[in-house]
Amino acid sequence: MDTDLALVLGLALAVLSIPSIVSAFADSRPPRVSIVTVVIAAGLVIYAFLAHSDGYSLRDIPNAIVNVIARYKFW
């Protein structure tokens, strides 16, 4: 898997799991699936940071997102 794609997928999963966590706490339910999703997202982000040859900095993240969107045109 490409490191840019892993980074973008991990960040997207992390952002999308936030409403699920809030909803689970609001309904007094344990956020089991949300926590699993966060663990998967963290694994993808850590893999991307470790497998990328130069590493990522905060300045590289927007470029990685744009490159993935440009590479995989969804429309």
Side-chain angles (χ1 to χ4, degrees):
M1 177 182 279
D2 183 28
T3 57
D4 285 348
L5 180 61
L7 178 68
V8 172
L9 284 177
L11 292 174
L13 283 175
V15 168
L16 291 175
S17 67
I18 293 171
S20 177
I21 293 171
V22 172
S23 173
F25 281 124
D27 292 340
S28 299
R29 295 181 287 118
R32 291 184 187 110
V33 175
S34 304
I35 297 301
V36 170
T37 306
V38 168
V39 168
I40 292 170
L44 283 169
V45 171
I46 290 170
Y47 164 74
F49 272 90
L50 294 177
H52 195 262
S53 60
D54 297 331
Y56 283 104
S57 67
L58 289 177
R59 293 180 182 174
D60 296 333
I61 293 173
N63 289 334
I65 294 170
V66 170
N67 287 337
V68 168
I69 292 173
R71 194 175 334 141
Y72 302 105
K73 294 179 184 173
F74 297 111
W75 54 87

